[in-house]
Amino acid sequence: MAAGLLTAEELTTRCLKRIERLNPVLHAVISVNPYALARAREIDRLRSSGFPLGPLAGIPVLVKDNIDTLGLATTAGSEALRHAYPYRDAELVGRLRKSGAIILGKTNLSEWAAYRTSAPHNGWSPVGGQTRNPHVLDRTPFGSSGGSAVAAAASLAPLAIGTDSFGSIIAPSATSAVVGFRPSLGRVSGAGIVPISPHQDTAGPITRNVADAAAVFAVIATPRFACRLEPDLPAGTRIGVWRGRRSAGSHPDVDRVLAEAAARLEELGVTIVEVDVPAPDPSGVLPYEFKRGINAYLSSVGGEHPRNLDELIAFSHPAERRSELGVTRFERAQDSDMARSPREYLEERQRITEETRGGVDALFGRHGLHAIMAPSNGRAPKITERGHAWVFSGAPASVGGYPSITVPAGYADARLPLGVSFMGRRNRDEELLGLAYSFEQATRARKRPLYLPVLPV
């Protein structure tokens, strides 16, 4: 763009055409911004006039549809919010606009970020349909930010934004072979995001490489920062290896990819230490936090929609009342403040946060670690499968507020992406991005999606 070889209008037009062609199969995008091309033309005029532009000027960005974007409904994938229009941008969206980025549209997600029911369909919502994995189309995108991860993998936009309360950036990004970055809690404002928990919610970039993730984070983070990405790891780097929490029957390729990643790091001069990380369970406090947060959010949004959790539970729509779904988590949240006092919830939240941070910080200190590496995901199951084997390592970062990033690392059955994630020290996000960049440059494991209908025999 700076050299005049590409305009924002040309790039935005390409993205819109790609969405038009691929989204009927992928169901990764819920809505498109009708003013995106006009904004692209405006950026081009400013550039040609010599007007100083921001670091993301002219770059289209897709935003998960639980993040407020002025002019577009924020549906959280639910028919209940199809006509819910925010009065202002989420703070991170405002920062993207000020940087010159073009808001291209909103991405699909597991309805209500997978918090409506205890048995959600990964990547499915009544508004957006079933998001499909671009590598093998009968496979799940895995996780509530699946639409953003698939959009990035399929090049529907150069950049996407997801949200994460309990691994919802890390797992789907790994499953689509892209980079997903969950910042330290508080580094990205949660204002204007449909809430689950103020102690765990954060937004972060999902991109095709670490450098792009760092560029987006530099715009949406507070405070702003400068991040130098170097291919070589600093001398004396020490990384813990954790196998993560997993269900029975996890695929052996997960262990192979993790072992290969550790071996490659050792070749780069990294000292590897086997560790066991505490994996807390916040399910006892999330219902109370969700009820308080969602009632406040619904009362602040314009348009015709339920105004509180009680009205959400009562909302009736055929697509919302599929027999296998239900509203079990909504109902538990509605009754939460009758079960225990606010003081008891706050004490439990403080306890699990302190236990998590105490355990993780002790590991970093005892072994002199710069990061802890773990498998990001398991072998992507078919969309129709239930109760599949999984690997999940996002709990410590989510509950403790640590930064975490997943990088493509290998494949199961040669076609299904697997990633490894690195959890860094709190508020050392720039250090973690640099480490992930070095690993990415040394491995270059990512492959473009092939959109195979099924996994080849």
Side-chain angles (χ1 to χ4, degrees), residues 167-203:
S168 292
I169 285 176
I170 300 301
S173 297
T175 304
S176 288
V178 290
V179 171
F181 179 49
R182 175 197 164 88
S184 295
L185 186 68
R187 289 295 303 272
V188 176
S189 171
I193 299 177
V194 179
I196 293 178
S197 166
H199 301 282
Q200 295 182 203
D201 296 348
T202 188

Side-chain angles (χ1 to χ4, degrees), residues 225-259:
F225 71 98
C227 182
R228 288 191 61 186
L229 302 178
E230 302 288 349
D232 297 327
L233 285 164
T237 300
R238 297 172 62 86
I239 294 177
V241 175
W242 178 44
R243 295 184 179 276
R245 280 198 304 131
R246 57 183 72 191
S247 66
S250 296
H251 201 270
D253 279 342
V254 174
D255 290 324
R256 174 185 56 79
V257 167
L258 184 65

Side-chain angles (χ1 to χ4, degrees), residues 291-313:
K291 180 177 181 177
R292 295 188 67 183
I294 199 63
N295 283 341
Y297 176 83
L298 291 174
S299 66
S300 70
V301 180
E304 189 175 332
H305 59 83
R307 294 292 169 177
N308 54 50
L309 182 55
D310 191 45
E311 292 183 11
L312 271 184
I313 293 171

Side-chain angles (χ1 to χ4, degrees), residues 2-53:
L5 301 176
L6 178 69
T7 66
E9 182 179 2
E10 289 169 343
L11 179 57
T12 303
T13 299
R14 291 181 191 180
C15 291
L16 291 171
K17 287 183 177 179
R18 195 161 177 82
I19 291 170
E20 183 180 6
R21 185 166 75 250
L22 292 179
N23 201 57
V25 174
L26 297 176
H27 297 282
V29 177
I30 279 182
S31 61
V32 170
N33 180 7
Y35 303 105
L37 272 176
R39 176 60 174 160
R41 296 185 187 108
E42 180 185 0
I43 292 291
D44 288 334
R45 286 195 297 270
L46 292 172
R47 191 186 300 275
S48 63
S49 69
F51 188 85
L53 298 173

